[in-house]
Coordinates of all heavy atoms in Angstrom, one line a residue:
F25 N 62.8 122.0 90.5 CA 62.1 121.3 89.5 C 60.7 121.9 89.7 O 60.0 121.4 90.7 CB 62.1 119.9 89.5 CG 63.3 119.2 88.9 CD1 64.1 118.4 89.7 CD2 63.7 119.4 87.6 CE1 65.3 117.8 89.2 CE2 64.8 118.8 87.0 CZ 65.6 118.1 87.7
G26 N 60.2 122.9 89.0 CA 59.0 123.4 89.3 C 59.0 124.1 90.7 O 59.8 124.9 90.9
Q28 N 59.5 122.3 93.3 CA 60.3 121.5 94.2 C 61.8 121.9 94.3 O 62.4 121.9 93.3 CB 60.2 120.0 93.8 CG 60.7 119.0 94.7 CD 60.8 117.6 94.2 OE1 60.4 117.4 93.1 NE2 61.4 116.7 95.0
V30 N 65.2 121.1 94.8 CA 66.0 119.9 94.7 C 67.4 120.1 95.1 O 68.1 119.1 95.5 CB 65.9 119.2 93.5 CG1 64.4 118.5 93.4 CG2 66.2 119.9 92.3
L31 N 68.0 121.1 95.0 CA 69.5 121.4 95.4 C 69.4 122.7 96.2 O 69.0 123.7 95.8 CB 70.5 121.5 94.3 CG 70.7 120.3 93.4 CD1 71.8 120.7 92.3 CD2 71.1 119.1 94.2
G48 N 73.4 108.9 99.7 CA 72.3 109.4 100.2 C 71.0 108.7 99.9 O 71.1 108.0 98.8
P49 N 69.9 108.9 100.6 CA 68.7 108.3 100.2 C 68.2 108.6 98.8 O 68.6 109.7 98.2 CB 67.6 108.7 101.2 CG 68.4 109.5 102.2 CD 69.7 110.0 101.6
S50 N 67.4 107.7 98.3 CA 66.7 107.9 97.0 C 66.0 109.2 97.0 O 65.3 109.6 98.0 CB 65.9 106.7 96.7 OG 65.2 106.9 95.5
G51 N 66.1 110.1 95.9 CA 65.4 111.2 95.8 C 66.1 112.4 96.5 O 65.5 113.5 96.5
S52 N 67.3 112.2 97.1 CA 68.0 113.3 97.7 C 68.7 114.3 96.9 O 69.1 115.4 97.3 CB 69.0 112.7 98.8 OG 69.9 111.8 98.1
G53 N 68.7 114.0 95.5 CA 69.3 115.0 94.7 C 70.7 114.6 94.1 O 71.4 115.3 93.4
K54 N 71.2 113.4 94.3 CA 72.5 113.0 93.9 C 72.6 113.1 92.3 O 73.6 113.6 91.8 CB 72.8 111.6 94.4 CG 72.6 111.4 95.9 CD 72.9 109.9 96.3 CE 72.0 108.9 95.7 NZ 70.5 109.0 96.0
S55 N 71.7 112.4 91.6 CA 71.8 112.5 90.1 C 71.8 113.9 89.6 O 72.4 114.2 88.7 CB 70.6 111.6 89.5 OG 70.8 110.2 89.9
T56 N 70.8 114.7 90.2 CA 70.7 116.1 89.8 C 72.0 116.8 90.0 O 72.5 117.5 89.1 CB 69.6 116.7 90.5 OG1 68.4 115.9 90.4 CG2 69.4 118.2 90.0
L57 N 72.6 116.7 91.2 CA 74.0 117.3 91.4 C 75.0 116.8 90.2 O 75.7 117.7 89.7 CB 74.4 116.9 92.7 CG 75.7 117.7 93.2 CD1 75.7 117.8 94.7 CD2 77.0 117.0 92.8
R59 N 74.4 115.7 87.3 CA 74.0 116.2 86.0 C 74.3 117.7 85.8 O 74.4 118.2 84.7 CB 72.6 115.8 85.7 CG 72.3 114.3 85.5 CD 70.8 113.8 85.6 NE 70.1 114.6 84.6 CZ 70.0 114.2 83.3 NH1 70.6 113.2 82.9 NH2 69.3 115.0 82.5
E65 N 71.9 119.5 83.3 CA 70.8 120.2 84.0 C 71.2 121.6 84.3 O 72.4 121.9 84.8 CB 70.5 119.6 85.4 CG 69.9 118.3 85.4 CD 68.3 118.2 85.0 OE1 67.8 119.4 84.9 OE2 67.8 117.2 84.8
D178 N 76.9 107.4 87.8 CA 75.7 107.5 88.6 C 75.2 106.1 88.8 O 74.5 105.5 87.9 CB 74.6 108.4 87.7 CG 73.4 108.7 88.6 OD1 73.4 108.2 89.8 OD2 72.6 109.5 88.2
E179 N 75.5 105.6 90.0 CA 75.1 104.2 90.4 C 75.4 103.2 89.3 O 74.5 102.5 88.7 CB 73.5 104.1 90.7 CG 73.2 105.1 91.8 CD 71.8 104.8 92.5 OE1 71.4 103.6 92.5 OE2 71.1 105.7 93.0
V209 N 78.3 108.4 92.5 CA 77.2 108.1 93.2 C 77.1 106.5 93.3 O 77.0 105.9 92.3 CB 75.9 108.6 92.6 CG1 74.6 108.2 93.4 CG2 75.9 110.1 92.6
M226 N 74.3 113.3 101.2 CA 73.2 114.2 100.8 C 71.9 113.8 101.3 O 71.6 112.6 101.3 CB 73.1 114.3 99.3 CG 73.5 115.5 98.6 SD 73.3 115.5 96.9 CE 72.2 116.8 96.8
Ligands
LIG301 P1 68.6 110.8 93.6 O1 69.5 110.6 92.5 O2 69.3 111.1 94.9 O3 67.7 109.6 93.8 P2 67.4 112.8 91.9 O4 68.5 113.9 91.7 O5 67.1 111.9 90.8 O6 67.7 112.0 93.2 O7 66.0 113.6 92.2 C1 65.8 114.6 93.2 C2 64.4 115.0 93.3 O8 64.2 115.7 92.1 C3 63.4 113.9 93.3 O9 62.3 114.2 94.1 C4 62.9 113.7 92.0 O10 61.7 113.2 91.8 C5 63.0 115.1 91.3 N1 63.4 115.0 89.9 C6 64.4 114.5 89.3 N2 64.5 114.6 88.0 C7 63.4 115.4 87.8 C8 62.9 115.9 86.4 N3 63.5 115.8 85.3 N4 61.7 116.6 86.6 C9 61.0 116.7 87.8 N5 61.5 116.3 88.9 C10 62.7 115.6 88.9

Side-chain angles (χ1 to χ4, degrees):
F25 281 118
Q28 193 189 354
V30 290
L31 294 180
S50 178
S52 57
K54 306 179 298 296
S55 295
T56 303
L57 187 153
R59 291 164 59 82
E65 288 284 356
D178 195 355
E179 301 200 31
V209 174
M226 247 184 121

